[in-house]
């Protein structure tokens, strides 16, 4: 782990140096994850309580195999550990990638990169507190008189994980829109004119998430469209194309000769 110092854009590193830096940063990520996993495995009852909390009263996940409880507990602890270790992992990823950008390119890329984890965590939190409980209540009570509904632990935790992950990714709409504006692919005016298409696209994206019931579809579609409207405001304020704004101009303007 020799090369953990900050690397400037002008530094010239060999392939071996790059691989050495990559190895060092991967080791740091692995250590951060293992430490976080040890903590969440120790507090696995708290982790499971948090994940089970959206379930309606009186319903508990069941296991159908002798090892399922063990593997399910470790898996949930690993997901929780990944969230805890996310700041360290993202820092290592950004520290490895950002030196490849010039100073002016970094001014454009850094805000977008910082926005990614903020929006992802916002999407996960929104899904957990707003979407999951009504979605599960609707699905588990649908046609309840005709079914003896049981919840298998493995299926339930997979469902929750996929839904949280999908919402976290779905909340990246502003990042994608701003990047497209910076590249000159679109602009705020074009986005305003495409609102009708955006509504259809948002509903289609929401329907691709793990649930298809009407209530969950609405709960997922509304914030995604709100993010699209926020993207329009952000594009109008900060989405000027790079070529027009001169943000990538690293060289000072040539001075006139006297």
């Amino acid at each position: 782990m020799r090369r953990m110092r900050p690397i400037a854009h002008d530094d010239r590193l060999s392939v071996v140096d790059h691989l050495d830096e990559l190895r060092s940063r991967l080791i740091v990520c692995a250590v951060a994850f293992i430490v976080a996993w040890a903590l969440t495995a120790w507090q696995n009852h708290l982790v499971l309580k948090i994940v089970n909390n959206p379930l309606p009263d009186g319903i508990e996940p069941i296991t159908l195999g002798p090892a399922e409880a063990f593997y399910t507990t470790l898996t949930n602890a690993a997901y929780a550990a990944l969230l805890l270790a996310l700041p360290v992992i993202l820092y290592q990823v950004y520290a490895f990638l950002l030196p490849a950008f010039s100073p002016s390119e970094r001014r454009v890329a850094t805000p977008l990169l910082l926005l990614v984890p903020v929006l992802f965590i916002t999407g996960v939190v929104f899904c957990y507190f707003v979407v999951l409980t009504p979605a599960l209540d609707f699905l588990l009570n649908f046609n309840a008189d005709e079914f003896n509904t049981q919840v298998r632990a493995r299926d339930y935790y997979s469902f929750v994980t996929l839904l949280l992950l999908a919402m976290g990714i779905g909340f990246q709409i502003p990042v994608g829109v701003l990047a497209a504006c910076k590249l000159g692919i679109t602009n705020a005016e074009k986005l305003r004119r495409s609102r009708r298409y955006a509504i259809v696209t948002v509903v289609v994206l929401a329907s691709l998430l793990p649930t298809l019931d009407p209530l969950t579809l609405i709960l997922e579609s509304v914030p995604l469209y709100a993010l699209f409207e926020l993207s329009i405001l952000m594009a109008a304020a900060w989405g000027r194309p790079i070529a027009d704004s001169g943000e990538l101009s690293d060289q000072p303007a040539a001075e006139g000769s006297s």
Side-chain angles (χ1 to χ4, degrees):
M1 296 178 63
R2 292 179 292 120
R3 189 173 295 282
M4 290 297 293
R5 65 178 179 82
I7 297 174
H9 175 69
D10 295 332
D11 289 347
R12 293 294 179 262
L13 304 180
S14 66
V15 174
V16 174
D17 289 332
H18 279 297
L19 292 176
D20 182 61
E21 183 201 0
L22 177 60
R23 182 191 63 180
S24 300
R25 297 195 183 281
L26 288 176
I27 291 174
V28 171
C29 293
V31 170
F33 173 74
I34 291 172
V35 171
W37 197 6
L39 176 62
T40 54
W42 173 50
Q43 294 292 328
N44 65 83
H45 295 289
L46 177 59
V47 173
L48 292 175
K49 181 179 179 181
I50 292 173
V51 181
N52 292 339
N53 190 60
L55 284 169
D57 293 337
I59 295 182
E60 293 183 354
I62 62 173
T63 57
L64 302 179
E68 187 172 346
F70 175 76
Y71 290 125
T72 300
T73 298
L74 289 184
T75 301
N76 279 281
Y79 291 145
L82 190 59
L83 282 178
L84 290 180
L86 192 60
V88 175
I89 294 173
L90 287 177
Y91 173 79
Q92 297 301 324
V93 172
Y94 292 171
F96 182 76
L97 294 178
L98 282 178
F101 295 94
S102 67
S104 53
E105 290 172 336
R106 189 177 302 187
R107 287 195 297 270
V108 177
T110 300
L112 296 179
L113 293 176
L114 293 177
L115 197 57
V116 169
V118 172
L119 290 175
F120 181 83
I121 293 174
T122 301
V124 169
V125 171
F126 177 87
C127 183
Y128 179 83
F129 286 103
V130 178
V131 177
L132 263 180
T133 298
L136 289 170
D137 187 66
F138 176 87
L139 293 172
L140 294 176
N141 288 290
F142 181 78
N143 212 6
D145 294 337
E146 303 298 328
F147 299 95
N148 178 17
T149 303
Q150 301 291 327
V151 178
R152 183 175 182 177
R154 185 178 65 186
D155 296 335
Y156 170 69
Y157 296 131
S158 297
F159 170 83
V160 171
T161 301
L162 286 175
L163 189 58
L164 293 176
L165 178 63
M167 285 298 290
I169 295 175
F171 267 56
Q172 303 303 314
I173 290 176
V175 175
V177 170
L178 277 178
C181 290
K182 286 293 186 181
L183 294 173
I185 298 174
T186 187
N187 55 49
E189 185 58 34
K190 290 180 180 178
L191 293 172
R192 293 189 186 98
R193 293 199 302 266
S194 62
R195 280 190 172 101
R196 291 176 296 177
Y197 304 105
I199 294 174
V200 175
T201 302
V202 163
V203 173
V204 171
L205 289 176
S207 67
L208 296 177
L209 297 179
T211 57
L212 281 175
D213 62 277
L215 178 62
T216 308
L217 192 63
I218 294 173
L219 291 175
E220 293 166 346
S221 299
V222 170
L224 291 179
Y225 182 76
L227 284 171
F228 175 77
E229 290 292 337
L230 176 63
S231 300
I232 295 177
L233 298 177
M234 295 174 68
W238 303 298
R240 187 179 178 186
I242 294 173
D244 296 340
S245 61
E247 291 175 276
L248 297 187
S249 177
D250 289 324
Q251 301 298 328
E255 296 181 359
S257 57
S258 55

